[in-house]
Structures are given as C-alpha cells and as structure tokens.
C-alpha cells in the first residue's frame, strides 16, 4: 500500500505533463494551420515561384546586401536564350530586347524571385591546328636547290627538304643569305626542272615601266584664215550667256570690249547671238545698247526671239549689218510645228533674202545634267530641225548645237590609245568610251546625241563647214568649262558650236576664234564662216 500510495502522485504529475505537451502540440498545429491558410492566400495573389533559392543563397542574402552591379554584369554575360529561360523559370515576362531582359532579371533577383544563372563557360581555345604532314615528293622527282654561275653551270648543290612547300621556304631563306657571283643565281629544281629562280626576280626588278608622257596642253592646229574677195556672205555666231550681263556698264567691260573689237574686225553680214536670256520686256532697251556698241547694226536691223516658257532662259538674236548683203531680209521665229519647245523657248530664227541661202540661227536644247531631255533632243528636236531644213533649199545652220560630233571634238579622246583609229572611223561610237565612262554620260557627248547629229547631217543634206575647210585640224574647240579654270590654259575643251551648210554652197572660210588674241574667255568661243556669192 505504501508503494502504491507513493506511486500515485508520480502518476498524477505525469498526466499533467502530458496534457501540457498535448496543448502545446495543439497550439502549434493551429498556428501552422493558420500560417498555411495565410500562405495559401498569398499564393493566390503572387505568381508561384517554381525555382526556390537554396538555403545557402538565402543565408548569404540575409547576411549581406544584394550586389546589383555584380548581378547586372553576370546577366549581361548571358545569351538571350539563357535570359529568357531564367525569366520563364521565375514566372516573369520573357519578351523583349536583351537590355530589357537583363534589367527584368536583375529586378527579379533583387526581390528574391529569381537568380542570375552563371554564364555558360567559353569553349576552350581551339588547339593550334596541327601542321599537315609534308606531301611526299613524287616518285623519281628529286627536289634540290642549286647555285649557278653567270653561264648557268652548277657550282654547288645545296641540301633541300624533300617537301616542295618546305623547299620553297628554304629557298626563300637561302636567296637572302647566299652570296652569288656576278650574274649568278639560285634555282629550286624538282626532278631537274627549275621551278623558282632568283634570275626571274632580277628580271622583274629591272623591268622598267613605260613612262607616261606628262600631261600637257593639247596642241592646237593653226587653221589659217582665207581672205575672200568679191561678193560674199560673212556669218558670225557668239554664245553670250546673258546679254544684259555682257552689256552692263557696272560689270567688267572686257567681254563687251572684246565683242565690239571682234565685230569690227570680222564685219559679219549677219551676227547671231545665242542664249541672250532676255525677256520680251528687255528687248527694246538691249537693242539701244547694242546699237550704241555696234553702230553698223541699228535697232531696225535687230531681230530677237525670247523664251516665254521660262524667264531669263535661252533666246536667239540676229543682227544684220547696214549696207551688207543681208540688209532687207525677212526674219521669222520658229517654224510650223506642234513642238511646244520650238514654239515657246525662243530657240530658232530664220533669215530669208533674195540671192542668199536661207540662214537658220539656233540654240539647240541641252540634254541636261541628268539627261532629262536626251530622248527629246534626239527623237524630236533633231528630227524636226532636219525635216524643216530639208525643205528650205540651200541652207546654213549656225549656232550652239550642243553636241560633240567627232572624237577630235572631245578633249578626253586625245589620250586614248586608239585615237588615230577613232579619227579614221574604224572604232564605232559605242566603243570609243571603253574605260572612259564619265563623258559617255555627259550632255552633248552621249552616244545617242553623236549618232543623232550624224543622222541630222544626212537627213538635212548638210556638211560641217569647219571640218570641210580644215579636215585634219586637231585641238580646236569652241567651249571650255568655267568650273575647271585650268582647262582653257591646257586647251582641254569641247566643240559645241557649228556652221553647217548645204554642200552646193561655195564655202570660202570657216573658223573657231578660241585663241587668246581673239576671245580670251572661258565658256563659248565665237564661230563663223564666209561664203562666196555669185
């Protein structure tokens, strides 16, 4: 009983302890359940994190601040595919450019929802490609390097590798280190046949390049003038490139004085002025100015046609000398046509007088810097002019025709190796520009214009007066570019201005006044011709 009595308190104490433990477990269970419920609620709001941070990583994050610079650096090392995979694993948006993906991954790593994975290691540098084994020498073909005297006799046979590539390398070393007799050489031979020789190198070094003649002025043929006695018709054409500027007393008087002297010396019966650029409202005042400068050409004998399509553009004038053979002639503008350019741009005047050939003064349209008018020039203007002239009988066409007809009319052709063949007509126009693409695309020099000019001469039954009188003349041009000032001094020009005439007319003289004593200016030079009259 004593023992039983003594055990009862102990049993009672054990029951109390068990109860306390039960209550504690129950409490923790309820707390865990509450925590689980709360976490479940949070999961409904936040995206599930499928990739958990390791315990070690969490410990490190708690222990120290997040290193954003390092994370950014590591993220930048990743490829786009790796960045997208990391973001998809974190449940984040994986679309966008690399910079956006890097920024998004670093932000996810900062708030603990992702990690920046390490970049894939770079592949180890490839091992140096092993040198391929030397090709064995062909059976029966011994490779050797020999030293020869000046007569080609073998003085010494040097040891050479039996691989051709190695033997070439050895030959290269020996050619610099071996002392050779005067005229001697080294040879690399395969099967007794020389493959390399220092003698060949000497020939290459001593071979002189053909010296190119220094560029200089293109020589100009003299083209002597012919004095004409008796009754004659003298014509002169000048492209003035703006008559108002030429006559303006406030501007340099050199061109004005040169024109006055030129007309006094030549005394043309008909003076043609191209590209005067006047509007109709300016004509009366300019007539007075011209009459004052050139007294033999009064206002009543001056005839102008102006562009109505565009102000300050094109224009042709004819001035008839008082007392000359053309005084009293009729002058008309344009001709009967549907061509609006002929009708509105003031590019053509026709003079008719009893006992004289018809004279057509014209300023032919330029094809343009971009060749916008090339097709019109060749297919419409030239064909219309040829048809018009053909119906006039004996005719003279004079003025700025804006085309270089022959190779000798183009300065670029003078340095061509086949220039003589070009002049002889042995080289088709299309082939004259081989290796010389620039001029072929320049207005007035195109293949189309030059061919069209030939067709114009044939269709209208006209000849080139200057070439008829001076068939062998070279270096005679009527135009020098104002953009390249040195071209005039070097006589590098073009022949754009012409006198064309019916072959039945008695041509006595034809000239281009491009010399410094006659017309020392760039741009266009005066051209003219004299015809003997019955």
């Amino acid at each position: 009983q004593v023992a039983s009595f003594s055990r009862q308190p102990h049993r009672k104490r054990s029951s109390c302890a068990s109860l306390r433990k039960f209550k504690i477990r129950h409490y923790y269970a309820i707390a865990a359940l509450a925590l689980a419920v709360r976490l479940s609620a949070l999961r409904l709001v936040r995206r599930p994190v499928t990739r958990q941070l390791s315990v070690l990583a969490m410990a490190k994050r708690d222990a120290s601040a997040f290193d954003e610079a390092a994370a950014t650096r590591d993220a930048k090392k990743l490829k786009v595919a790796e960045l997208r995979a990391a973001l998809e694993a974190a449940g984040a948006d994986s679309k966008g450019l690399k910079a956006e993906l890097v920024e998004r991954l670093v932000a996810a790593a900062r708030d603990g929802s992702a990690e920046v994975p390490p970049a894939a290691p770079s592949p180890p540098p490839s091992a140096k490609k092993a040198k391929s084994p030397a090709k064995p020498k062909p059976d029966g073909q011994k490779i050797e390097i020999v030293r020869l005297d000046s007569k080609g006799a073998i003085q010494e046979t040097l040891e050479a590798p039996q691989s051709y590539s190695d033997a070439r390398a050895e030959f290269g070393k020996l050619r610099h280190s071996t002392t050779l007799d005067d005229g001697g050489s080294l040879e690399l031979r395969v099967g007794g046949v020389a493959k390399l020789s220092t003698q060949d190198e000497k020939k290459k070094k001593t071979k002189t390049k053909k010296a190119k003649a220094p560029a200089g002025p293109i020589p100009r043929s003299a083209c002597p003038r012919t004095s004409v006695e008796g009754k004659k018709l003298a014509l002169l054409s000048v492209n003035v490139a703006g008559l108002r500027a030429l006559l303006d007393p406030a501007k340099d008087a050199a061109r004005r004085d040169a024109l006055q002297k030129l007309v006094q010396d030549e005394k043309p019966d008909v003076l043609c002025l191209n590209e005067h650029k006047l509007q109709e409202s300016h004509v009366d005042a300019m007539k007075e100015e011209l009459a004052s400068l050139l007294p033999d050409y009064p206002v009543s004998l001056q005839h102008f046609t102006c562009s109505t399509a565009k102000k300050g553009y094109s224009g042709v004038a004819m001035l008839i000398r008082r007392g000359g053979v053309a005084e009293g002639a009729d002058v008309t503008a344009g001709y009967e046509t549907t061509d609006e350019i002929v009708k509105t741009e003031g590019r053509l005047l026709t003079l008719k007088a009893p006992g004289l050939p018809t004279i057509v003064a014209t300023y032919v349209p330029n094809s343009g810097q971009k060749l916008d008018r090339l097709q019109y020039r060749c297919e419409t203007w030239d064909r219309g002019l040829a048809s018009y002239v053909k119906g006039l009988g004996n005719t003279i066409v004079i003025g700025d025709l804006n085309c270089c007809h022959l190779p000798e009319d183009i300065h670029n052709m003078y340095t061509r190796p086949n220039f003589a063949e070009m002049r002889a007509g042995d080289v088709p126009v299309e082939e004259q520009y081989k290796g010389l693409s620039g001029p072929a695309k320049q207005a007035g020099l195109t293949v189309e214009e030059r061919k069209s000019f030939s067709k114009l001469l044939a269709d209208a039954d006209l000849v080139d007066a200057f070439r008829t009188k001076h068939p062998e003349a070279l270096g005679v041009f009527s135009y020098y570019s104002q953009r390249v000032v040195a071209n005039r001094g070097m006589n590098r020009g073009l022949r754009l201005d012409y006198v064309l005439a019916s072959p039945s007319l008695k041509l006595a003289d034809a000239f281009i006044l491009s010399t410094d004593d006659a017309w020392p200016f760039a741009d266009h030079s005066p051209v003219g011709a004299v015809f003997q009259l019955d």
Side-chain angles (χ1 to χ4, degrees):
Q1 292 178 350
V2 173
S4 173
F5 176 80
S6 63
R7 284 197 296 271
Q8 287 177 1
H10 176 72
R11 189 179 298 117
K12 187 176 182 179
R13 286 196 300 272
S14 297
S15 299
C16 291
S18 298
L19 182 60
R20 282 197 301 272
K21 288 181 179 179
F22 174 77
K23 289 180 178 180
I24 291 170
R25 287 195 196 99
H26 185 65
Y27 175 79
Y28 277 115
I30 293 171
L33 180 60
L35 180 60
V37 171
R38 187 174 182 184
L39 288 175
S40 297
L42 289 173
R43 286 193 187 97
L44 293 175
V45 178
R46 297 186 59 186
R47 292 182 179 179
V49 180
T50 57
R51 186 172 182 179
Q52 301 293 332
L53 294 174
S54 66
V55 175
L56 179 60
M58 293 175 67
K60 286 182 178 179
R61 178 159 295 165
D62 292 337
S64 62
F66 174 64
D67 190 347
E68 185 166 342
T72 303
R73 183 175 59 252
D74 294 342
K76 287 181 178 179
K77 293 179 182 178
L78 300 175
K79 296 180 180 178
V80 172
E82 294 172 328
L83 288 166
R84 287 177 176 161
L87 287 168
E88 287 172 359
D93 183 13
S94 61
K95 295 181 180 179
L97 300 176
K98 183 173 182 179
E100 297 171 335
L101 300 179
V102 168
E103 184 179 354
R104 206 173 295 146
L105 182 59
V106 172
R110 189 189 306 112
D111 64 20
S113 61
E115 278 186 330
V116 179
S122 301
S126 57
K128 189 175 180 180
K129 190 176 180 181
K131 188 175 181 181
S132 58
K135 293 181 180 179
K137 64 184 179 63
D139 293 339
Q141 291 192 349
K142 183 180 180 182
I143 299 177
E144 56 187 358
I145 299 175
V146 296
R147 184 163 63 88
L148 307 175
D149 61 16
S150 58
K151 296 181 180 180
I154 297 177
Q155 289 184 314
E156 183 182 5
T157 300
L158 306 174
E159 185 177 351
Q162 294 306 297
S163 159
Y164 186 67
S165 59
D166 293 341
R168 281 179 61 120
E170 184 66 20
F171 179 82
K173 295 176 184 177
L174 289 173
R175 68 177 181 172
H176 296 297
S177 60
T178 304
T179 302
L180 300 173
D181 296 337
D182 187 23
S185 62
L186 278 181
E187 279 187 0
L188 171 62
R189 296 181 174 183
V190 178
V193 179
K195 297 294 184 182
L196 295 175
S197 173
T198 56
Q199 197 67 33
D200 295 335
E201 295 173 2
K202 289 178 182 178
K203 289 178 182 178
K204 288 180 182 179
K205 289 180 181 178
T206 56
K207 187 177 179 181
T208 55
K209 203 172 183 181
K210 188 177 179 181
K212 189 176 180 180
I218 297 174
R220 185 187 192 280
S221 297
C223 303
R225 299 288 301 275
T226 301
S227 179
V228 183
E229 302 296 333
K231 191 177 181 181
K232 60 185 178 182
L233 171 64
L235 305 177
L236 183 68
S237 175
V238 184
N239 183 312
V240 294
L243 186 59
R244 294 180 74 192
L246 185 146
L247 298 178
D248 189 348
K251 295 188 176 181
D252 184 13
R255 283 168 61 89
R256 184 170 63 254
D257 294 344
L259 177 63
Q260 184 181 46
K261 183 178 184 304
L262 177 68
V263 173
Q264 287 174 350
D265 292 344
E266 294 295 330
K267 295 181 174 56
D269 294 296
V270 181
L271 171 63
C272 304
L273 303 179
N274 303 308
E275 200 179 3
H276 59 62
K277 299 184 180 181
L278 297 181
Q279 298 178 45
E280 291 180 345
S281 59
H282 302 145
V283 170
D284 290 342
M286 290 301 101
K287 283 184 175 182
E288 295 291 346
E289 292 283 344
L290 281 170
S292 175
L293 182 70
L294 308 172
D296 288 339
Y297 301 83
V299 170
S300 60
L301 296 180
Q302 297 180 28
H303 304 271
F304 283 77
T305 180
C306 303
S307 171
T308 57
K310 187 176 178 181
K311 294 181 179 180
Y313 184 63
S314 63
V316 175
M318 274 184 165
L319 280 63
I320 300 171
R321 185 168 64 88
R322 181 168 45 203
V325 294
E327 187 175 4
D330 292 327
V331 178
T332 56
Y335 58 87
E336 191 65 34
T337 180
T338 58
D339 185 347
E340 287 299 315
I341 291 177
V342 174
K343 293 164 72 174
T344 63
E345 291 192 2
R347 292 184 175 274
L348 187 142
L349 288 174
T350 303
L351 181 149
K352 293 183 178 182
L356 296 181
T358 302
I359 303 169
V360 176
T362 185
Y363 173 45
V364 174
N366 188 294
S367 292
Q369 190 171 0
K370 296 182 180 180
L371 303 181
D372 300 329
R373 281 188 165 185
L374 176 62
Q375 184 176 5
Y376 165 78
R377 157 72 193 268
C378 297
E379 297 180 7
T380 303
W381 175 276
D382 284 357
R383 305 289 72 79
L385 179 61
S387 179
Y388 173 60
V389 170
K390 189 174 183 180
L392 296 176
N394 285 337
T395 306
I396 300 167
V397 178
I398 185 170
D400 179 357
L401 304 191
N402 263 320
C403 180
C404 291
H405 183 213
L406 302 176
E408 49 265 51
D409 298 332
I410 307 171
H411 78 84
N412 311 73
M413 297 297 185
Y414 281 71
T415 56
R416 308 298 291 164
N418 58 344
F419 180 59
E421 289 80 359
M422 290 184 194
R423 292 190 63 211
D426 297 334
V427 183
V429 176
E430 296 88 345
E431 297 180 15
Q432 294 176 10
Y433 293 97
K434 284 186 177 179
L436 194 68
S437 59
K441 300 174 184 177
Q442 183 178 338
L445 279 68
T446 65
V447 171
E448 294 85 350
E449 287 167 298
R450 293 175 63 193
K451 282 188 166 184
S452 180
F453 196 95
S454 295
K455 182 172 173 54
L456 169 68
L457 294 177
D459 291 349
D461 191 21
L462 299 173
V463 296
D464 181 343
F466 180 79
R467 289 291 170 210
T468 300
K469 192 67 179 174
H470 308 285
E472 301 301 321
L474 293 174
V476 184
F477 308 112
S478 70
Y479 172 84
Y480 298 93
S481 173
Q482 290 180 307
R483 296 179 182 178
V484 186
V485 179
N487 272 4
R488 181 173 176 84
M490 299 297 284
N491 193 32
R492 296 176 184 171
L494 306 171
R495 191 165 80 99
L496 301 174
D497 305 81
Y498 295 80
V499 179
L500 309 179
S502 297
S504 58
L505 297 177
K506 296 179 180 179
L507 176 66
D509 191 19
F511 52 88
I512 298 174
L513 302 177
S514 57
T515 56
D516 288 344
D517 58 334
W519 192 261
F521 309 107
D523 207 47
H524 290 266
S525 299
V527 300
V530 180
F531 295 85
Q532 190 80 53
L533 299 176
D534 295 332

